[in-house]
Amino acid sequence: MKVVVAAETRDHERRVALVPDLVARLTSAGLDVAVESGAGLGALHPDEAYKAAGATIASGDVLAGADVVLSVQPLTPDRIARLRTGAVTVSLLPVSQELDVVQAARDAGVTAFSLELVPRISRAQSMDALTSQALVAGYRAVLVAAEKLPRFFPLSMTAAGTIPPAEVLVLGAGVAGLQAVATARRLGARVQAYDVRAASADEVRSLGARFVELDLPSLEGAGGYAREMTEERAQLQRDLLAPYVSASDVLITTAAVPGRTAPLLVQRPAIEAMKPGSIVVDLAAESGGNVEGSVPGEELQVGGALLWGARNVPSQLPVHASRLFAANVVNLVLLMTVDGKVTPDFADEIVDGAAVTHDGVVRHQNVRDALGEGS
Amino acid sequence: MKVVVAAETRDHERRVALVPDLVARLTSAGLDVAVESGAGLGALHPDEAYKAAGATIASGDVLAGADVVLSVQPLTPDRIARLRTGAVTVSLLPVSQELDVVQAARDAGVTAFSLELVPRISRAQSMDALTSQALVAGYRAVLVAAEKLPRFFPLSMTAAGTIPPAEVLVLGAGVAGLQAVATARRLGARVQAYDVRAASADEVRSLGARFVELDLPSLEGAGGYAREMTEERAQLQRDLLAPYVSASDVLITTAAVPGRTAPLLVQRPAIEAMKPGSIVVDLAAESGGNVEGSVPGEELQVGGALLWGARNVPSQLPVHASRLFAANVVNLVLLMTVDGKVTPDFADEIVDGAAVTHDGVVRHQNVRDALGEGS
């Protein structure tokens, strides 16, 4: 069976869905791997590296004979329409934002998998691209902040006096938030973190950071994500967080609810009250933003603070983001590979959860609803 | 006596020679402090902060009535000419590069102190601006590299596989080099360091890094700096270092001999042999460069690597670079302050070493030679 690694076509996407190191895991399972010429360049993998690893390099209409297509961003509807009926695609596919892709996959009779929909169960951890990419984003958020801050992160004891450590506040203690906490701690900052899920307090504390406790009831959600809250409660939370924000040198916000608009956690006055030179990194900028006024891909001055709006942050660390992403993809493909053939078994809850379309049908009711298909 | 903090006039200089926190140390010694309006803005200190700390704010011809002038970069010859006879200046003053400043100070009868010439003795550590600013540069070199590297610095063990730590090589294990080693270690990289002074091996190892030993005799110099070596020996060193360079993800070079051209440690082929995406930071770019082809203030692509040429790196962390610098300045000024008057006592070896001009005379033979004054 022919597995094709598609070159990415969207702006700012430097990742690739398969890295040379992992080609052999597919070929040794009996799959043929073809890589669209140049697909790995953004992640610094030239065609020759794939060739040396046992893949072939394809140009032109590379998707024509594909049985399985791997990509980071979903293929465009246009490319999907050219796939053969029964072909499989594996990629990120945030269904609520990409309904045209879902429709194209349905209409083409393509089996489209969304890595976002891989269930958060322990057997599927190795396929969890949201987690692997959040790890990258959380790490990079701290580096960006440290690089832009006009102060030291660590405590510095020198002959010319002692410099106190930077004060870092992380909002949202999921994978990205915890990685940000860990990285800021590594660099020697004093770190506080907050999450609506009180259960995350222990994880925060185990990384040497202080957990901010607000006088609000907890909101534990299903599947490890936070649930949404009422607007009144959200405003109370913002008001209670404001003094913590204003006292920080660095604020990193990471609160996201997959498929939903990110919660607004920080309003402009709290940012304006920060010290001059403070840095704010809003990792949720693309899904609406945790910080009022953040714009994906832009740096804005808000009072004396610099507000950095994230745009595809994992892609900014393309070598290792691709390495982890590719492992997620390979693990999912191999889960479905029997005797050298990719054969999705919908009795497996991972396959069932991640498959968006199959055989001309959209498989999830909420997506059918969004498409106006009815039940 | 009136101490004036001059606003910096050179490009890319964001530091300031006195910060509000330290104003009281001068005023409580009986000195009046005036700050040129806007002097602290690059380091994020507004005029009001100085005023609140007990300084006055001056505009216009602020140097006219000054007894002591503090600045980071030396005053221009033009400004020095307007100082009264017997006035004191304290600043960085790299004499070999700033002969026109030395001449202007001599001709104006100004007593000019160079922080670079503060002797490296333990009593003078708190006045050692080369050390305090090198600390900033070494820290920032690593942050720049980490921010630009398309890989993780730390080992990452994840459900999608293990990412090995970045390989960082630091050349030159003085203050900046050791701080770079420490910061790269904090971030989880595997670090190797090299210095011509074999004595630095223990310091490198104590920070958890590996000391690179080349088959070359040691070159221990006076005053804690390395001596120069013959060209033949320098080439052998470059050849022996090349494989270490090529095997690194990040190279940070910090080898400098004050007042001299920096030694060339790395030639182009060694950089070209690095992995694509590798980062090279040449902290010595302004004094000739440790790396062939580096240009101060520019990012150049060399093969697959990015070569970042440093230009006034301490100024890129202006808040804390200024805080440490100001402490150095204040400590030197207070050493010379008796009964509310700055009275240099040349019997003190620190004052003697740091004073470049006094009473119309250039005080160091080597500077007189450079000026063609004879002995």
Side-chain angles (χ1 to χ4, degrees), chain A:
Chain A
M1 257 188 150
K2 189 172 170 192
V3 177
V4 174
V5 180
E8 301 295 320
T9 55
R10 300 203 187 188
D11 280 352
H12 312 293
E13 184 53 72
R14 296 177 60 195
R15 290 171 293 180
V16 59
L18 186 66
V19 296
D21 270 4
L22 299 182
V23 167
R25 290 193 59 202
L26 296 180
T27 54
S28 64
L31 300 166
D32 293 325
V33 176
V35 175
E36 186 169 358
S37 181
L41 287 181
L44 306 172
H45 298 301
D47 288 351
E48 304 78 59
Y50 289 99
K51 216 186 272 181
T56 56
I57 304 300
S59 300
D61 192 8
V62 297
L63 301 184
D67 297 301
V68 179
V69 182
L70 311 180
S71 59
V72 178
Q73 301 291 342
L75 298 178
T76 56
D78 195 49
R79 293 194 97 181
I80 290 173
R82 302 209 303 273
L83 292 176
R84 68 160 186 75
T85 305
V88 168
T89 63
V90 178
S91 69
L92 293 175
L93 177 46
V95 287
S96 58
Q97 293 152 50
E98 306 273 0
L99 288 171
D100 54 340
V101 170
V102 175
Q103 249 168 332
R106 177 196 64 193
D107 296 347
V110 163
T111 304
F113 288 93
S114 163
L115 288 163
E116 282 95 339
L117 296 179
V118 168
R120 302 201 109 198
I121 59 175
S122 46
R123 190 165 60 88
Q125 274 182 16
S126 69
M127 309 162 202
D128 185 348
L130 286 182
T131 288
S132 73
Q133 303 306 293
L135 202 77
V136 175
Y139 168 76
R140 193 165 155 73
V142 172
L143 286 187
V144 167
E147 205 269 336
K148 295 192 182 300
L149 191 71
R151 303 165 181 270
F152 279 108
F153 256 50
L155 172 82
S156 300
M157 293 174 65
T158 80
T162 296
I163 301 285
E167 302 278 352
V168 174
L169 175 64
V170 176
L171 299 184
V175 176
L178 290 173
Q179 180 71 6
V181 168
T183 306
R185 287 287 304 144
R186 272 181 184 283
L187 269 174
R190 195 143 47 194
V191 183
Q192 301 189 84
Y194 171 75
D195 197 289
V196 284
R197 298 164 302 129
S200 58
D202 286 346
E203 292 174 292
V204 166
R205 292 188 190 118
S206 74
L207 293 170
R210 188 169 161 269
F211 188 73
V212 173
E213 308 207 42
L214 302 183
D215 196 12
L216 284 169
S218 163
L219 274 187
E220 208 71 45
Y225 289 111
R227 280 192 296 121
E228 285 189 306
M229 56 172 86
T230 65
E231 177 48 31
E232 183 186 6
R233 202 164 168 292
Q235 186 57 47
L236 178 59
Q237 182 179 269
R238 287 191 282 270
D239 293 342
L240 293 173
L241 281 174
Y244 292 93
V245 168
S246 305
S248 302
D249 296 307
V250 170
L251 167 67
I252 295 172
T253 66
T254 73
V257 185
R260 302 245 178 118
T261 302
L264 180 66
L265 299 179
V266 181
Q267 288 168 302
R268 205 178 156 95
I271 303 290
E272 286 171 341
M274 293 176 87
K275 277 192 283 289
S278 297
I279 306 294
V280 179
V281 172
D282 185 356
L283 280 185
E286 279 173 306
S287 58
N290 295 146
V291 178
E292 184 180 352
S294 72
V295 179
E298 291 196 16
E299 283 181 21
L300 305 171
Q301 200 70 36
V302 178
L306 188 73
L307 170 55
W308 190 85
R311 182 177 56 197
N312 195 349
V313 175
S315 176
Q316 297 169 8
L317 204 81
V319 172
H320 283 153
S322 298
R323 174 66 182 71
L324 296 175
F325 188 90
N328 299 140
V329 166
V330 165
N331 289 329
L332 180 60
V333 169
L334 291 180
L335 174 75
M336 303 189 285
T337 303
V338 183
D339 296 335
K341 289 201 155 52
V342 175
T343 321
D345 171 9
F346 297 102
D348 182 317
E349 69 176 307
I350 298 173
V351 177
D352 183 50
V356 179
T357 60
H358 178 64
D359 220 0
V361 172
V362 176
R363 301 183 67 261
H364 298 285
Q365 183 61 47
N366 60 333
V367 187
R368 282 197 298 275
D369 290 347
L371 285 167
E373 279 191 19
S375 51

Side-chain angles (χ1 to χ4, degrees), chain B:
Chain B
M1 260 188 145
K2 189 171 168 193
V3 177
V4 174
V5 180
E8 301 295 321
T9 55
R10 299 204 186 187
D11 282 352
H12 312 295
E13 184 55 71
R14 295 177 59 194
R15 290 170 292 179
V16 60
L18 185 66
V19 297
D21 270 3
L22 299 182
V23 168
R25 289 194 59 203
L26 295 181
T27 53
S28 64
L31 299 167
D32 293 325
V33 176
V35 175
E36 187 170 354
S37 180
L41 287 180
L44 306 172
H45 297 300
D47 287 351
E48 303 79 61
Y50 288 98
K51 216 185 274 181
T56 56
I57 304 300
S59 301
D61 192 7
V62 297
L63 302 184
D67 297 300
V68 179
V69 183
L70 311 180
S71 60
V72 178
Q73 300 291 342
L75 299 178
T76 56
D78 195 47
R79 293 194 95 182
I80 290 173
R82 301 210 301 273
L83 293 177
R84 69 161 184 75
T85 304
V88 168
T89 64
V90 177
S91 69
L92 293 175
L93 176 47
V95 286
S96 58
Q97 295 152 47
E98 305 273 0
L99 288 172
D100 53 341
V101 171
V102 175
Q103 248 168 332
R106 178 196 62 193
D107 296 347
V110 162
T111 304
F113 288 93
S114 163
L115 289 162
E116 282 95 340
L117 296 179
V118 167
R120 302 200 109 199
I121 58 175
S122 43
R123 191 166 58 90
Q125 274 182 16
S126 69
M127 309 161 203
D128 186 347
L130 286 182
T131 289
S132 73
Q133 304 305 294
L135 201 78
V136 175
Y139 168 76
R140 191 162 159 76
V142 172
L143 285 187
V144 167
E147 204 270 336
K148 296 189 181 300
L149 191 71
R151 305 165 180 270
F152 278 108
F153 257 48
L155 171 82
S156 300
M157 293 175 64
T158 80
T162 296
I163 301 287
E167 302 279 351
V168 174
L169 176 64
V170 176
L171 299 183
V175 177
L178 290 173
Q179 180 70 6
V181 167
T183 306
R185 287 287 305 143
R186 273 181 184 282
L187 268 175
R190 195 143 50 193
V191 182
Q192 301 189 85
Y194 171 75
D195 197 289
V196 284
R197 298 165 301 131
S200 58
D202 286 346
E203 292 174 293
V204 166
R205 291 188 190 115
S206 74
L207 294 171
R210 191 170 159 268
F211 188 74
V212 173
E213 309 209 38
L214 302 183
D215 196 10
L216 283 170
S218 163
L219 273 188
E220 209 70 45
Y225 289 112
R227 282 193 296 120
E228 285 189 307
M229 56 171 87
T230 65
E231 176 50 30
E232 185 186 4
R233 199 163 168 293
Q235 186 59 47
L236 178 59
Q237 182 179 270
R238 288 191 280 270
D239 293 343
L240 293 173
L241 282 173
Y244 292 93
V245 169
S246 305
S248 302
D249 297 308
V250 169
L251 167 66
I252 294 171
T253 67
T254 72
V257 185
R260 302 245 178 119
T261 302
L264 180 67
L265 299 179
V266 182
Q267 287 168 302
R268 205 178 157 94
I271 303 290
E272 287 171 341
M274 293 176 87
K275 277 193 283 288
S278 298
I279 306 294
V280 179
V281 172
D282 185 355
L283 279 186
E286 279 172 306
S287 57
N290 294 144
V291 178
E292 185 181 350
S294 73
V295 179
E298 291 196 14
E299 283 181 20
L300 305 170
Q301 200 70 35
V302 177
L306 188 73
L307 170 54
W308 190 87
R311 183 178 55 198
N312 195 349
V313 174
S315 177
Q316 297 168 8
L317 204 80
V319 172
H320 282 153
S322 298
R323 174 66 182 70
L324 296 175
F325 188 90
N328 301 141
V329 166
V330 165
N331 289 328
L332 180 59
V333 170
L334 291 181
L335 175 74
M336 302 188 288
T337 303
V338 183
D339 296 335
K341 289 200 156 50
V342 176
T343 321
D345 170 10
F346 298 102
D348 183 319
E349 70 175 308
I350 298 174
V351 177
D352 183 52
V356 180
T357 60
H358 178 65
D359 218 0
V361 173
V362 176
R363 302 184 68 262
H364 297 286
Q365 182 62 47
N366 61 334
V367 186
R368 282 197 298 273
D369 291 346
L371 286 168
E373 281 191 21
S375 50

